[in-house]
Amino acid sequence: MRKFYSDEEVNIQKESALLVSKTLKMLAEEIKEGMSTLKMDELAEAFIRDHGAVPSFKGYGEPGNEFPYSLCISVNDAVVHGFPSNYEVRPGDVLSIDCGVYKNKFHGDHAYTFIVGEAEQEVKDLVDRTKASLYLGIEQAVLGKRVGDIGFAIENATFGKYKYGVVRELVGHGVGRNLHDDPQIPNYGRRGSGKRLKENMILAIEPMINLGTRHIYTDKDGWTIRTVDGKPSVHFEHNVCVKKDKALILSDFSIIEEAEKKNPYLYT
């Protein structure tokens, strides 16, 4: 498995990462109350294919249990891997959208959580603090640091400060020519522990943080992961390249955030 890439390969992967960002931006413009999550999936697949790529997630998995959609759309107590469906989003829904694309032999893969309409303050705080924890983790993605440094930063900012549930069974990962690659990047850990980071590793860093317990279960569809206590979960993810002094973020939340602010159906 590839652990790190050339500068040229990093730039190719960045194109895929940015296409994911553009797909999520498009969805941020389109999401509204009453829209089904299946419609969001259809819009995203068309957008991805129109830009010369294919959805990374569609057909991914073990034979006989392949993921059947282009997006993972996880609503409220769904942590990740949610199936798009005829469910129509409502005010107060927490909507985590995870998207992957494959273009020029490289995958891009990241996620963003939206709030539809108004929500309880504790839910707004969870979204804001989970996003903030992602950037604290990214600060540790530099040459010479270890995987545990990333996990510690995220865990300390979420469980350490607010006692949120940090999901342990699901982790971030390497990404590039393979959708999921080494090293695994847990959202918990000890400083100075784990594999040492090398320059030009490309990582998908992705805190999955629950309002209540960290414990989860798999739904009957075999894919959707939910919180045991039924409380909301939030998921943010960036593609990041390990560098000497400062991590290089290959994906772009700014275009998503700009669209989010202009959409009257979304909380910002």
Side-chain angles (χ1 to χ4, degrees):
M1 291 184 177
R2 292 295 298 271
K3 297 292 195 310
F4 54 90
Y5 294 93
S6 69
D7 288 341
E8 181 181 2
E9 289 172 317
V10 170
N11 286 331
I12 295 171
Q13 197 279 340
K14 184 176 182 178
E15 293 180 17
S16 296
L18 289 176
L19 180 53
V20 174
S21 304
K22 292 172 184 175
T23 305
L24 293 171
K25 169 187 177 289
M26 178 274 296
L27 290 170
E29 295 170 338
E30 298 293 333
I31 294 170
K32 59 184 178 181
E33 294 170 16
M35 176 181 281
S36 73
T37 56
L38 187 60
K39 178 63 176 177
M40 297 174 200
D41 186 73
E42 292 169 353
L43 289 171
E45 181 170 357
F47 187 88
I48 291 166
R49 294 188 185 280
D50 285 348
H51 285 77
V54 296
S56 296
F57 299 166
K58 196 165 190 176
Y60 181 83
E62 297 295 327
N65 190 36
E66 298 92 344
F67 193 80
Y69 300 99
S70 298
L71 298 176
C72 299
I73 304 183
S74 305
V75 183
N76 297 330
D77 67 324
V79 181
V80 288
H81 304 164
F83 277 14
S85 69
N86 290 322
Y87 177 81
E88 297 177 350
V89 296
R90 299 174 291 192
D93 279 346
V94 178
L95 195 65
S96 297
I97 303 181
D98 193 356
C99 178
V101 308
Y102 184 66
K103 185 176 183 179
N104 297 327
K105 300 182 180 180
F106 277 82
H107 294 275
D109 171 23
H110 53 279
Y112 196 92
T113 295
F114 302 94
I115 295 177
V116 181
E118 273 296 322
E120 297 293 329
Q121 187 61 48
E122 64 178 1
V123 175
K124 297 175 185 177
D125 289 342
L126 176 66
V127 170
D128 292 341
R129 291 165 179 171
T130 301
K131 185 193 281 188
S133 78
L134 169 59
Y135 289 100
L136 292 172
I138 289 170
E139 288 179 1
Q140 301 301 311
V142 294
L143 180 65
K145 290 282 191 175
R146 294 181 180 271
V147 164
D149 295 312
I150 297 174
F152 176 83
I154 292 170
E155 183 180 28
N156 187 56
T158 52
F159 174 77
K161 287 189 175 181
Y162 305 109
K163 303 306 178 188
Y164 294 144
V166 179
V167 175
R168 288 176 171 253
E169 294 85 350
L170 303 158
V171 298
H173 51 89
V175 64
R177 291 192 182 276
N178 299 312
L179 179 58
H180 294 101
D181 215 338
D182 287 334
Q184 293 192 347
I185 311 293
N187 295 305
Y188 61 94
R190 292 184 295 107
R191 288 191 183 115
S193 68
K195 293 183 178 180
R196 191 177 297 276
L197 302 177
K198 298 180 180 181
E199 191 165 10
N200 280 21
M201 280 182 166
I202 304 175
L203 309 176
I205 301 176
E206 50 177 320
M208 291 158 273
I209 310 297
N210 303 339
L211 185 60
T213 179
R214 70 172 179 85
H215 297 292
I216 57 175
Y217 71 96
T218 304
D219 211 342
K220 60 184 179 181
D221 61 24
W223 279 95
T224 305
I225 306 296
R226 297 187 182 276
T227 60
V228 166
D229 59 9
K231 292 185 177 181
S233 183
V234 170
H235 180 206
F236 283 97
E237 178 181 13
H238 260 310
N239 289 168
V240 177
C241 182
V242 175
K243 290 293 185 182
K244 184 178 179 181
D245 297 313
K246 184 179 180 181
L248 176 63
I249 301 176
L250 302 173
S251 36
D252 185 4
F253 277 4
S254 69
I255 60 174
I256 305 168
E257 291 164 344
E258 182 180 357
E260 185 181 33
K261 288 176 183 176
K262 292 179 179 178
N263 187 335
Y265 292 102
L266 298 178
Y267 163 79
T268 56

Coordinates of all heavy atoms in Angstrom, one line a residue, residues 34-120:
G34 N -37.9 19.6 2.8 CA -38.8 18.8 2.0 C -38.1 18.1 0.9 O -38.7 17.3 0.2
M35 N -36.8 18.4 0.7 CA -36.0 17.6 -0.3 C -35.6 16.3 0.2 O -35.2 16.1 1.4 CB -34.8 18.4 -0.7 CG -33.9 17.7 -1.7 SD -32.4 18.6 -2.1 CE -33.0 19.7 -3.3
S36 N -35.8 15.2 -0.6 CA -35.4 13.9 -0.2 C -33.9 13.7 -0.2 O -33.2 14.3 -1.1 CB -36.1 12.8 -1.0 OG -35.5 12.8 -2.3
T37 N -33.3 12.9 0.6 CA -31.9 12.6 0.6 C -31.6 11.8 -0.7 O -30.4 11.9 -1.2 CB -31.4 11.9 1.8 OG1 -32.2 10.7 2.0 CG2 -31.6 12.7 3.1
L38 N -32.5 11.1 -1.2 CA -32.3 10.4 -2.5 C -32.1 11.4 -3.7 O -31.2 11.2 -4.5 CB -33.4 9.5 -2.8 CG -33.3 8.5 -4.0 CD1 -32.1 7.6 -3.8 CD2 -34.5 7.7 -4.2
K39 N -32.9 12.5 -3.6 CA -32.7 13.5 -4.6 C -31.3 14.2 -4.6 O -30.7 14.4 -5.6 CB -33.8 14.6 -4.5 CG -33.7 15.8 -5.4 CD -33.9 15.3 -6.9 CE -33.9 16.5 -7.8 NZ -34.0 16.1 -9.2
M40 N -30.8 14.4 -3.3 CA -29.4 14.9 -3.2 C -28.4 13.9 -3.8 O -27.5 14.4 -4.4 CB -29.1 15.1 -1.7 CG -30.0 16.1 -1.0 SD -29.7 16.1 0.8 CE -31.2 16.9 1.4
D41 N -28.6 12.7 -3.6 CA -27.7 11.7 -4.2 C -27.7 11.7 -5.7 O -26.7 11.6 -6.3 CB -28.1 10.3 -3.7 CG -27.1 9.2 -4.1 OD1 -26.0 9.2 -3.5 OD2 -27.5 8.4 -5.0
E42 N -28.9 11.9 -6.3 CA -29.0 11.9 -7.7 C -28.4 13.2 -8.3 O -27.7 13.1 -9.3 CB -30.5 11.9 -8.1 CG -31.2 10.6 -7.8 CD -32.7 10.7 -7.9 OE1 -33.2 11.8 -8.1 OE2 -33.4 9.6 -7.9
L43 N -28.5 14.3 -7.6 CA -27.9 15.5 -8.0 C -26.3 15.4 -8.0 O -25.6 15.8 -8.9 CB -28.3 16.7 -7.1 CG -29.7 17.2 -7.3 CD1 -30.0 18.2 -6.2 CD2 -29.9 17.8 -8.6
A44 N -25.9 14.8 -6.9 CA -24.4 14.6 -6.7 C -23.8 13.7 -7.8 O -22.8 14.0 -8.4 CB -24.1 14.1 -5.3
E45 N -24.5 12.6 -8.0 CA -23.9 11.6 -9.0 C -23.9 12.3 -10.4 O -22.9 12.1 -11.1 CB -24.8 10.4 -9.1 CG -24.2 9.4 -10.1 CD -24.8 8.0 -10.1 OE1 -25.7 7.7 -9.2 OE2 -24.4 7.1 -10.9
A46 N -24.9 13.0 -10.8 CA -24.9 13.7 -12.1 C -23.8 14.7 -12.1 O -23.1 14.8 -13.2 CB -26.3 14.3 -12.3
F47 N -23.6 15.5 -11.1 CA -22.6 16.5 -11.0 C -21.2 15.9 -11.1 O -20.3 16.3 -11.9 CB -22.7 17.2 -9.7 CG -21.8 18.4 -9.6 CD1 -22.2 19.7 -10.0 CD2 -20.5 18.3 -9.0 CE1 -21.3 20.8 -9.9 CE2 -19.7 19.4 -8.9 CZ -20.1 20.7 -9.3
I48 N -20.9 14.8 -10.4 CA -19.6 14.1 -10.4 C -19.3 13.6 -11.8 O -18.2 13.8 -12.4 CB -19.6 13.0 -9.4 CG1 -19.6 13.5 -8.0 CG2 -18.4 12.1 -9.6 CD1 -19.9 12.5 -6.9
R49 N -20.3 12.9 -12.5 CA -20.1 12.3 -13.8 C -19.9 13.4 -14.8 O -19.2 13.3 -15.8 CB -21.2 11.4 -14.1 CG -21.2 10.1 -13.2 CD -22.2 9.1 -13.7 NE -22.3 8.0 -12.7 CZ -21.5 7.0 -12.6 NH1 -20.4 6.9 -13.5 NH2 -21.6 6.0 -11.8
D50 N -20.7 14.5 -14.7 CA -20.5 15.7 -15.6 C -19.1 16.3 -15.6 O -18.7 17.0 -16.5 CB -21.6 16.7 -15.3 CG -23.0 16.3 -15.8 OD1 -23.1 15.4 -16.5 OD2 -23.9 17.0 -15.3
H51 N -18.4 16.1 -14.5 CA -17.1 16.6 -14.3 C -16.0 15.5 -14.6 O -14.9 15.7 -14.1 CB -16.9 17.2 -12.9 CG -17.6 18.5 -12.8 ND1 -19.0 18.7 -12.6 CD2 -17.1 19.8 -12.8 CE1 -19.3 20.0 -12.5 NE2 -18.2 20.7 -12.7
G52 N -16.4 14.5 -15.3 CA -15.4 13.5 -15.8 C -14.9 12.6 -14.7 O -13.8 12.0 -14.9
A53 N -15.7 12.4 -13.6 CA -15.3 11.5 -12.6 C -16.4 10.5 -12.3 O -17.5 10.5 -12.9 CB -15.0 12.3 -11.3
V54 N -16.1 9.5 -11.4 CA -17.1 8.6 -11.0 C -17.2 8.6 -9.5 O -16.2 8.9 -8.8 CB -16.8 7.1 -11.5 CG1 -16.8 7.1 -13.0 CG2 -15.5 6.6 -11.0
P55 N -18.4 8.3 -8.9 CA -18.5 8.2 -7.5 C -17.7 7.1 -6.9 O -17.8 5.9 -7.3 CB -20.0 8.0 -7.3 CG -20.7 8.4 -8.6 CD -19.7 8.0 -9.6
S56 N -16.8 7.4 -5.9 CA -16.0 6.4 -5.3 C -16.8 5.4 -4.5 O -16.4 4.2 -4.4 CB -15.0 7.1 -4.4 OG -14.1 7.9 -5.1
F57 N -17.9 5.8 -3.9 CA -18.6 5.0 -3.0 C -19.5 4.0 -3.6 O -19.8 2.9 -3.1 CB -19.4 5.8 -2.0 CG -18.7 6.8 -1.2 CD1 -19.3 7.8 -0.5 CD2 -17.3 6.7 -1.0 CE1 -18.6 8.7 0.3 CE2 -16.6 7.6 -0.3 CZ -17.3 8.6 0.4
K58 N -20.0 4.3 -4.8 CA -21.0 3.5 -5.4 C -20.4 2.1 -5.9 O -19.5 2.1 -6.7 CB -21.7 4.2 -6.6 CG -22.9 3.5 -7.1 CD -23.7 4.4 -8.1 CE -25.1 3.9 -8.3 NZ -25.9 4.8 -9.2
G59 N -20.9 1.1 -5.3 CA -20.3 -0.3 -5.6 C -19.2 -0.6 -4.7 O -18.6 -1.7 -4.9
Y60 N -18.8 0.2 -3.8 CA -17.7 -0.1 -2.9 C -18.1 -1.1 -1.8 O -19.2 -1.1 -1.3 CB -17.2 1.2 -2.2 CG -16.1 1.0 -1.3 CD1 -14.7 0.9 -1.7 CD2 -16.3 0.8 0.1 CE1 -13.7 0.7 -0.9 CE2 -15.2 0.6 1.0 CZ -13.9 0.6 0.5 OH -12.8 0.4 1.3
G61 N -17.2 -2.0 -1.5 CA -17.5 -3.0 -0.5 C -17.3 -4.4 -0.9 O -16.9 -4.7 -2.0
E62 N -17.6 -5.3 0.0 CA -17.5 -6.7 -0.3 C -18.5 -7.2 -1.3 O -19.7 -6.7 -1.2 CB -17.6 -7.5 1.0 CG -16.5 -7.2 2.1 CD -15.2 -7.6 1.6 OE1 -15.0 -8.6 0.9 OE2 -14.2 -6.9 2.0
P63 N -18.2 -8.2 -2.1 CA -19.2 -8.7 -3.1 C -20.5 -9.2 -2.4 O -20.4 -9.9 -1.4 CB -18.5 -9.9 -3.7 CG -17.0 -9.5 -3.6 CD -16.9 -8.8 -2.3
G64 N -21.6 -8.7 -2.9 CA -22.9 -9.0 -2.2 C -23.3 -8.0 -1.2 O -24.5 -8.0 -0.8
N65 N -22.4 -7.1 -0.8 CA -22.8 -6.0 0.2 C -22.1 -4.7 -0.3 O -21.6 -4.0 0.5 CB -22.3 -6.4 1.6 CG -22.8 -5.5 2.6 OD1 -24.0 -5.0 2.5 ND2 -22.0 -5.2 3.6
E66 N -22.2 -4.4 -1.6 CA -21.7 -3.2 -2.1 C -22.6 -2.0 -1.7 O -23.8 -2.1 -1.7 CB -21.5 -3.3 -3.6 CG -20.6 -4.3 -4.1 CD -21.3 -5.6 -4.4 OE1 -22.4 -5.8 -4.0 OE2 -20.7 -6.5 -5.1
F67 N -21.9 -0.9 -1.5 CA -22.7 0.3 -1.2 C -23.4 0.8 -2.4 O -22.8 1.0 -3.5 CB -21.8 1.5 -0.7 CG -22.5 2.6 0.0 CD1 -23.0 2.5 1.3 CD2 -22.8 3.8 -0.8 CE1 -23.7 3.6 1.8 CE2 -23.5 4.8 -0.2 CZ -23.9 4.7 1.1
P68 N -24.8 1.0 -2.3 CA -25.5 1.2 -3.6 C -25.7 2.6 -4.0 O -26.4 2.9 -5.0 CB -26.9 0.6 -3.2 CG -27.0 0.8 -1.7 CD -25.6 0.7 -1.2
Y69 N -25.1 3.6 -3.3 CA -25.4 5.0 -3.7 C -24.0 5.8 -3.9 O -23.0 5.3 -3.6 CB -26.2 5.7 -2.5 CG -27.5 5.0 -2.4 CD1 -27.7 4.1 -1.3 CD2 -28.6 5.3 -3.2 CE1 -29.0 3.5 -1.2 CE2 -29.8 4.7 -3.1 CZ -30.0 3.8 -2.0 OH -31.2 3.1 -1.9
S70 N -24.2 7.0 -4.3 CA -23.0 7.8 -4.6 C -22.6 8.6 -3.3 O -21.4 8.9 -3.2 CB -23.3 8.8 -5.7 OG -23.6 8.1 -6.9
L71 N -23.5 8.9 -2.5 CA -23.2 9.6 -1.2 C -23.6 8.8 0.0 O -24.5 8.0 -0.1 CB -24.1 10.9 -1.1 CG -23.9 12.0 -2.2 CD1 -24.9 13.1 -2.0 CD2 -22.4 12.5 -2.2
C72 N -22.9 9.0 1.1 CA -23.4 8.6 2.4 C -24.1 9.8 3.0 O -23.4 10.9 3.2 CB -22.2 8.2 3.3 SG -21.3 6.8 2.7
I73 N -25.3 9.7 3.3 CA -26.1 10.8 3.9 C -26.7 10.3 5.2 O -27.6 9.5 5.3 CB -27.2 11.3 3.0 CG1 -26.6 11.7 1.6 CG2 -27.9 12.5 3.6 CD1 -27.7 12.3 0.6
S74 N -26.1 10.9 6.3 CA -26.4 10.4 7.6 C -27.2 11.5 8.4 O -26.7 12.6 8.6 CB -25.1 10.0 8.4 OG -24.4 9.1 7.6
V75 N -28.4 11.1 8.8 CA -29.3 12.1 9.4 C -29.5 11.9 10.9 O -29.7 10.8 11.3 CB -30.7 12.1 8.7 CG1 -31.6 13.1 9.2 CG2 -30.6 12.2 7.2
N76 N -29.3 13.0 11.6 CA -29.5 13.0 13.1 C -28.6 11.9 13.8 O -27.5 12.1 14.0 CB -31.0 12.8 13.4 CG -31.8 14.0 12.8 OD1 -31.3 15.1 12.7 ND2 -33.0 13.8 12.4
D77 N -29.2 10.8 14.3 CA -28.5 9.8 15.0 C -27.6 8.9 14.2 O -26.9 8.1 14.7 CB -29.4 9.0 15.9 CG -30.3 8.1 15.1 OD1 -30.8 8.5 14.0 OD2 -30.6 7.0 15.5
A78 N -27.7 9.1 12.9 CA -26.8 8.3 12.0 C -25.4 8.9 12.0 O -25.3 10.1 11.8 CB -27.3 8.2 10.6
V79 N -24.4 8.2 12.3 CA -23.0 8.7 12.4 C -22.4 8.8 11.0 O -22.0 9.9 10.6 CB -22.2 7.7 13.3 CG1 -20.8 8.3 13.4 CG2 -22.8 7.6 14.6
V80 N -22.4 7.7 10.3 CA -21.8 7.6 8.9 C -22.5 6.5 8.1 O -23.3 5.7 8.7 CB -20.3 7.4 8.9 CG1 -19.5 8.6 9.4 CG2 -20.0 6.1 9.7
H81 N -22.3 6.5 6.8 CA -22.7 5.4 5.9 C -24.2 5.3 5.7 O -24.7 4.3 5.3 CB -22.1 4.0 6.4 CG -20.7 4.0 6.5 ND1 -20.0 3.0 7.2 CD2 -19.7 4.8 6.1 CE1 -18.7 3.2 7.2 NE2 -18.5 4.3 6.5
G82 N -24.9 6.4 6.0 CA -26.3 6.4 5.8 C -26.8 6.3 4.4 O -26.1 6.9 3.5
F83 N -27.8 5.5 4.1 CA -28.4 5.4 2.8 C -29.3 6.6 2.4 O -30.2 6.9 3.2 CB -29.2 4.1 2.7 CG -28.5 2.8 2.5 CD1 -27.1 2.7 2.7 CD2 -29.2 1.7 2.2 CE1 -26.5 1.5 2.5 CE2 -28.6 0.5 2.0 CZ -27.2 0.4 2.1
P84 N -29.0 7.2 1.3 CA -30.0 8.1 0.7 C -31.4 7.4 0.6 O -31.4 6.2 0.2 CB -29.4 8.5 -0.6 CG -28.0 8.3 -0.5 CD -27.8 7.1 0.4
S85 N -32.5 8.1 0.8 CA -33.8 7.5 0.7 C -34.8 8.5 0.4 O -34.5 9.6 0.0 CB -34.1 6.9 2.1 OG -34.3 7.9 3.0
N86 N -36.1 8.1 0.5 CA -37.2 9.1 0.3 C -37.4 10.0 1.4 O -38.4 10.8 1.4 CB -38.5 8.3 -0.1 CG -38.4 7.6 -1.5 OD1 -37.8 8.2 -2.4 ND2 -38.9 6.4 -1.6
Y87 N -36.6 9.8 2.5 CA -36.8 10.7 3.6 C -36.6 12.2 3.2 O -35.6 12.5 2.6 CB -35.8 10.4 4.7 CG -35.8 11.3 5.9 CD1 -36.8 11.1 6.9 CD2 -35.0 12.4 6.0 CE1 -36.9 12.0 8.0 CE2 -35.0 13.3 7.1 CZ -36.0 13.1 8.1 OH -36.1 13.9 9.2
E88 N -37.6 13.0 3.6 CA -37.5 14.5 3.3 C -37.0 15.2 4.5 O -37.6 15.1 5.6 CB -38.9 14.9 2.8 CG -39.4 14.2 1.5 CD -40.8 14.7 1.1 OE1 -41.5 15.4 1.9 OE2 -41.2 14.3 0.0
V89 N -36.0 16.0 4.3 CA -35.4 16.7 5.4 C -36.3 17.7 6.0 O -37.1 18.4 5.3 CB -34.0 17.3 5.1 CG1 -33.0 16.2 4.7 CG2 -34.1 18.3 4.0
R90 N -36.2 17.9 7.3 CA -37.1 18.8 8.1 C -36.2 19.8 8.9 O -35.1 19.5 9.2 CB -38.0 18.0 9.0 CG -38.9 17.0 8.3 CD -39.6 16.1 9.2 NE -38.7 15.1 9.9 CZ -39.2 14.1 10.6 NH1 -40.5 13.9 10.7 NH2 -38.3 13.3 11.2
P91 N -36.9 20.8 9.4 CA -36.2 21.8 10.3 C -35.6 21.1 11.5 O -36.3 20.3 12.1 CB -37.2 22.8 10.6 CG -38.2 22.8 9.5 CD -38.2 21.3 9.1
G92 N -34.3 21.4 11.8 CA -33.7 20.8 12.9 C -32.9 19.6 12.6 O -32.1 19.1 13.5
D93 N -33.0 19.0 11.4 CA -32.2 17.9 11.0 C -30.7 18.2 10.9 O -30.3 19.2 10.4 CB -32.7 17.3 9.7 CG -33.9 16.5 9.8 OD1 -34.3 16.1 10.9 OD2 -34.5 16.2 8.7
V94 N -29.9 17.2 11.5 CA -28.5 17.3 11.3 C -28.2 16.4 10.1 O -28.5 15.2 10.1 CB -27.8 16.8 12.6 CG1 -26.3 16.8 12.4 CG2 -28.2 17.6 13.8
L95 N -27.5 16.9 9.1 CA -27.3 16.2 7.8 C -25.8 16.1 7.5 O -25.2 17.1 7.1 CB -28.0 17.1 6.7 CG -28.3 16.4 5.4 CD1 -29.3 15.3 5.5 CD2 -28.9 17.5 4.5
S96 N -25.3 15.0 7.8 CA -23.9 14.7 7.5 C -23.7 14.1 6.1 O -24.3 13.0 5.9 CB -23.2 13.8 8.5 OG -23.2 14.5 9.8
I97 N -23.0 14.7 5.2 CA -22.9 14.2 3.8 C -21.4 13.9 3.5 O -20.6 14.8 3.6 CB -23.4 15.2 2.8 CG1 -24.9 15.6 3.1 CG2 -23.3 14.7 1.4 CD1 -25.5 16.6 2.1
D98 N -21.2 12.7 3.2 CA -19.8 12.2 2.9 C -19.8 11.8 1.4 O -20.7 11.1 0.9 CB -19.5 10.9 3.8 CG -18.1 10.5 3.8 OD1 -17.3 11.2 3.0 OD2 -17.7 9.6 4.5
C99 N -18.8 12.3 0.7 CA -18.7 12.2 -0.7 C -17.3 11.8 -1.2 O -16.3 12.2 -0.6 CB -19.1 13.6 -1.4 SG -19.0 13.6 -3.2
G100 N -17.3 10.9 -2.1 CA -16.0 10.5 -2.7 C -16.1 10.5 -4.2 O -17.1 10.1 -4.8
V101 N -15.0 10.9 -4.9 CA -14.9 10.8 -6.3 C -13.6 10.2 -6.7 O -12.6 10.2 -6.0 CB -15.0 12.2 -7.0 CG1 -16.2 13.0 -6.5 CG2 -13.7 13.0 -6.7
Y102 N -13.6 9.6 -7.9 CA -12.4 8.9 -8.5 C -12.2 9.5 -9.9 O -13.0 9.5 -10.8 CB -12.7 7.4 -8.6 CG -11.5 6.7 -9.1 CD1 -10.3 6.6 -8.3 CD2 -11.5 6.0 -10.3 CE1 -9.2 5.8 -8.8 CE2 -10.4 5.3 -10.8 CZ -9.2 5.2 -10.0 OH -8.2 4.5 -10.4
K103 N -11.0 10.2 -10.0 CA -10.7 10.9 -11.3 C -9.2 10.8 -11.5 O -8.4 11.0 -10.5 CB -11.2 12.3 -11.2 CG -11.0 13.0 -12.6 CD -11.5 14.5 -12.5 CE -11.4 15.1 -13.9 NZ -12.0 16.5 -13.9
N104 N -8.8 10.5 -12.7 CA -7.3 10.4 -13.0 C -6.6 9.5 -12.0 O -5.5 9.7 -11.6 CB -6.7 11.8 -13.0 CG -7.3 12.7 -14.0 OD1 -7.7 12.3 -15.1 ND2 -7.4 14.0 -13.7
K105 N -7.3 8.4 -11.7 CA -6.7 7.3 -10.9 C -6.5 7.7 -9.4 O -5.7 7.0 -8.7 CB -5.4 6.8 -11.5 CG -5.6 6.2 -12.9 CD -4.3 5.6 -13.5 CE -4.6 5.0 -14.8 NZ -3.3 4.5 -15.4
F106 N -7.1 8.8 -9.0 CA -7.0 9.2 -7.6 C -8.4 9.5 -7.0 O -9.3 10.0 -7.6 CB -6.1 10.4 -7.4 CG -4.6 10.1 -7.4 CD1 -3.9 9.9 -8.6 CD2 -4.0 10.0 -6.2 CE1 -2.6 9.6 -8.5 CE2 -2.6 9.7 -6.1 CZ -1.9 9.5 -7.3
H107 N -8.5 9.1 -5.7 CA -9.7 9.4 -5.0 C -9.6 10.7 -4.2 O -8.6 11.0 -3.6 CB -10.0 8.2 -4.0 CG -10.3 6.9 -4.6 ND1 -11.6 6.6 -5.0 CD2 -9.5 5.9 -4.9 CE1 -11.6 5.4 -5.5 NE2 -10.3 4.9 -5.5
G108 N -10.8 11.4 -4.1 CA -11.0 12.4 -3.1 C -12.1 12.0 -2.2 O -13.0 11.3 -2.7
D109 N -12.0 12.3 -0.9 CA -13.0 11.8 0.0 C -13.1 12.8 1.2 O -12.2 12.8 2.0 CB -12.6 10.4 0.5 CG -13.4 9.9 1.6 OD1 -14.5 10.3 1.8 OD2 -12.8 9.0 2.3
H110 N -14.2 13.5 1.3 CA -14.4 14.2 2.6 C -15.9 14.5 2.8 O -16.8 14.1 2.0 CB -13.6 15.5 2.6 CG -13.7 16.4 1.5 ND1 -13.0 16.3 0.3 CD2 -14.4 17.6 1.3 CE1 -13.3 17.3 -0.5 NE2 -14.1 18.1 0.1
A111 N -16.1 15.1 4.0 CA -17.5 15.2 4.5 C -17.8 16.5 5.2 O -16.8 17.2 5.6 CB -17.8 14.0 5.5
Y112 N -19.0 16.9 5.2 CA -19.5 18.1 5.8 C -20.8 17.9 6.4 O -21.7 17.2 5.9 CB -19.5 19.2 4.7 CG -19.6 20.6 5.3 CD1 -18.4 21.4 5.4 CD2 -20.8 21.2 5.6 CE1 -18.4 22.7 5.9 CE2 -20.8 22.5 6.1 CZ -19.6 23.2 6.2 OH -19.7 24.5 6.7
T113 N -21.1 18.5 7.6 CA -22.3 18.4 8.3 C -23.1 19.7 8.2 O -22.6 20.8 8.6 CB -22.1 18.0 9.8 OG1 -21.6 16.7 9.8 CG2 -23.5 18.0 10.5
F114 N -24.3 19.7 7.8 CA -25.2 20.8 7.7 C -26.3 20.7 8.8 O -26.7 19.6 9.1 CB -25.9 20.9 6.3 CG -25.0 21.0 5.2 CD1 -24.6 19.8 4.5 CD2 -24.5 22.2 4.7 CE1 -23.7 19.9 3.4 CE2 -23.6 22.3 3.6 CZ -23.2 21.1 3.0
I115 N -26.9 21.8 9.2 CA -28.1 21.8 10.0 C -29.2 22.5 9.1 O -29.0 23.6 8.6 CB -27.9 22.6 11.3 CG1 -26.9 21.9 12.2 CG2 -29.3 22.8 12.0 CD1 -26.7 22.7 13.5
V116 N -30.3 21.8 9.0 CA -31.4 22.3 8.2 C -32.3 23.1 9.1 O -32.8 22.6 10.2 CB -32.3 21.2 7.6 CG1 -33.4 21.7 6.8 CG2 -31.4 20.3 6.7
G117 N -32.4 24.4 8.8 CA -33.3 25.3 9.6 C -32.7 25.5 11.0 O -31.5 25.6 11.1
E118 N -33.5 25.6 12.0 CA -33.1 25.9 13.3 C -32.9 24.6 14.1 O -33.5 23.6 13.8 CB -34.1 26.8 14.1 CG -33.8 28.3 13.9 CD -32.5 28.7 14.4 OE1 -32.1 28.2 15.5 OE2 -31.8 29.6 13.8
A119 N -32.0 24.6 15.1 CA -31.8 23.4 16.0 C -31.5 23.9 17.4 O -31.3 25.1 17.6 CB -30.6 22.6 15.4
E120 N -31.5 23.0 18.3 CA -31.2 23.3 19.7 C -29.7 23.8 19.8 O -28.9 23.4 19.0 CB -31.3 22.0 20.5 CG -32.8 21.5 20.6 CD -33.7 22.4 21.3 OE1 -33.2 23.2 22.2 OE2 -34.9 22.5 21.0

